[in-house]
Amino acid sequence: MKQLILSFAALLAAISAFAQEFVYTEATDLTITGKVFPDTPEPYQRMDFEKYGGWEDKDLGLLRQSSGIIVSFKTDAQAINMKAIVCGGWGSNYGDRGFDLYIRKDGRWLWAGSATIPKGNDEYRVCKLITDMAPGEKECIVYFPNFSEIRSAQVGVPAGCTLLPGEKPFTHDIVLYGSSFTHGACTSRAANTLPGFLSRMTGFQFNSLGVSGDCKMQPQFLNALKDAEADAFFFDTFSNPSPSEIRERTFGFIEGIQETHPGVPLIFIRTIRRENRNFNTDRNRVETAKMAVADSVMAIAVKRYKDVYYIKTSNAATPDQETTVDGIHPSDFGYHIWAESIRKPLVKILRKYGIR
């Protein structure tokens, strides 16, 4: 009889938890960060397409995706949901269509929960990020999906709980314009991108303008970046372009940014070694030429232009080279290794400019 009563009580508790009423607040009513351009007509897109022109269809599709966007909030809730209208998405994993929750503990941002929004007919769907937390106020951030377009995103907490805008989780504003590596291709969670790892490692806000396969220093991107408010610029611009594009565009790109941002550091990084060159002779030839041209061009640039730097220590592989997913993109651990490989020289440069 006692066992039956306990089982019935557990069932009632489960029903109560399932039926718990949640109150939802649009993320824009909390604190949004992580965007190079904070004020865009659509809040979860990364570019104002009306203000800047010359976009190609591929640009439009990529910049509508919410990679790098973060919502910051405080709550005393013991459970947190997300309710969102998610369109498109390259896949169904946590990186492509998922939200990624971190909570501050002892001064560090620790992973707390992830969930994907189920695919539907562009309508509101709910996912549970975490349940059964201890009482007390928590400082929270949620990373938005890397490869989906978000029409609406709402944070949900149980009725009666507090939900308030949070502080900006990281200091300063560093623009990171780059390739699919910056965008987050092949990550299993939305927070495991190069800018995501760098922000949590350094405490600086790396605002992502990752455009998968499309970061080639094109005029439309340069025109927009000239208006970006930034304490520093960080460029992964040698992963996508051909050797001829690197040679033809780099100096003009630097000069264009410096026209509107004199005295601001422009930090370029060498692209990582892609494992698809291991046995493919054509890929090895192309990658070798691309890296050699970038090294040559940047050797001139750092001497010609003040406030221009080139970090050559980029590495996303373990010694046994086992961190690739598809021969091009690293795994989550590979992205972590990459961020760590450039962290010290990056921080050293930033300190010269009072960014600490």
Side-chain angles (χ1 to χ4, degrees):
M1 184 65 179
K2 181 179 180 181
Q3 186 63 39
L4 180 62
I5 293 172
L6 290 174
S7 297
F8 184 67
L11 178 61
L12 288 177
I15 293 172
S16 174
F18 182 79
Q20 191 173 33
E21 179 186 357
F22 275 70
V23 177
Y24 289 90
T25 300
E26 191 68 33
T28 50
D29 292 328
L30 301 168
T31 301
I32 295 291
T33 188
K35 296 175 63 173
V36 173
F37 301 98
D39 300 319
T40 54
E42 297 295 330
Y44 309 124
Q45 296 181 1
R46 296 178 292 152
M47 184 61 67
D48 185 339
F49 300 116
E50 299 173 7
K51 185 174 182 180
Y52 304 103
W55 304 108
E56 299 178 1
D57 288 344
K58 184 176 184 180
D59 304 333
L60 298 174
L62 294 170
L63 291 169
R64 288 189 179 113
Q65 295 167 349
S66 60
S67 178
I69 296 177
I70 300 169
V71 58
S72 170
F73 57 91
K74 297 179 181 180
T75 183
D76 61 0
Q78 295 174 259
I80 300 172
N81 288 357
M82 290 297 297
K83 182 169 74 171
I85 300 175
V86 179
C87 304
W90 287 12
S92 300
N93 69 21
Y94 290 147
D96 294 342
R97 291 181 59 86
F99 292 89
D100 213 359
L101 171 67
Y102 277 68
I103 297 176
R104 191 192 293 271
K105 182 178 181 181
D106 299 328
R108 297 174 55 217
W109 289 105
L110 294 183
W111 178 85
S114 300
T116 57
I117 293 290
K119 288 191 174 182
N121 298 318
D122 296 344
E123 59 189 22
Y124 276 111
R125 298 296 181 97
V126 174
C127 65
K128 295 181 179 181
L129 285 176
I130 192 168
T131 60
D132 300 315
M133 288 192 290
E137 186 177 76
K138 298 97 178 166
E139 294 180 72
C140 306
I141 56 175
V142 173
Y143 290 81
F144 280 41
N146 292 330
F147 288 100
S148 297
E149 180 181 348
I150 309 299
R151 302 283 174 82
S152 173
Q154 301 178 3
V155 179
V157 296
C161 295
T162 61
L163 179 62
L164 301 170
E167 303 296 327
K168 184 177 176 181
F170 308 108
T171 63
H172 301 286
D173 282 295
I174 301 170
V175 169
L176 207 176
Y177 167 56
S179 66
S180 57
F181 298 134
T182 303
H183 199 138
C186 290
T187 59
S188 65
R189 293 193 285 107
N192 285 351
T193 61
L194 184 62
F197 279 125
L198 284 172
S199 292
R200 295 193 299 279
M201 285 178 176
T202 65
F204 305 142
Q205 178 63 61
F206 286 83
N207 296 316
S208 175
L209 203 68
V211 281
S212 189
D214 200 35
C215 177
K216 301 180 180 182
M217 298 178 282
Q218 305 98 307
Q220 62 271 31
F221 286 96
L222 173 58
N223 290 337
L225 287 167
K226 288 168 71 172
D227 275 356
E229 294 187 10
D231 297 307
F233 286 88
F234 187 50
F235 298 120
D236 161 37
T237 48
F238 303 133
S239 297
N240 292 151
S242 66
S244 61
E245 288 170 330
I246 293 171
R247 191 179 296 109
E248 294 164 5
R249 297 178 181 179
T250 302
F251 295 151
F253 183 79
I254 290 171
E255 291 166 7
I257 299 292
Q258 288 194 329
E259 283 178 10
T260 54
H261 295 83
V264 174
L266 311 186
I267 306 166
F268 293 78
I269 57 171
R270 178 191 270 172
T271 189
I272 57 171
R273 186 185 189 282
R274 303 185 185 196
E275 301 301 329
N276 63 6
R277 65 191 290 183
N278 288 342
F279 298 99
N280 185 311
T281 56
D282 184 61
R283 290 309 313 160
N284 186 57
R285 177 186 58 79
V286 171
E287 289 297 309
T288 298
K290 185 166 61 176
M291 295 177 80
V293 168
D295 287 351
S296 174
V297 166
M298 288 308 300
I300 298 170
V302 296
K303 294 178 180 178
R304 179 180 296 181
Y305 304 104
K306 187 180 179 182
D307 305 310
V308 172
Y309 302 87
Y310 186 44
I311 297 176
K312 299 172 68 173
T313 55
S314 290
N315 172 55
T318 55
D320 57 6
Q321 297 177 235
E322 289 282 7
T323 52
T324 190
V325 172
D326 58 1
I328 298 174
H329 304 97
S331 63
D332 293 349
F333 185 43
Y335 281 112
H336 185 278
I337 293 171
W338 189 359
E340 182 59 30
S341 75
I342 60 177
R343 177 182 59 83
K344 287 184 179 180
L346 176 60
V347 168
K348 184 178 180 180
I349 294 167
L350 294 174
R351 281 178 178 166
K352 294 180 182 180
Y353 296 85
I355 301 171
R356 57 184 68 235

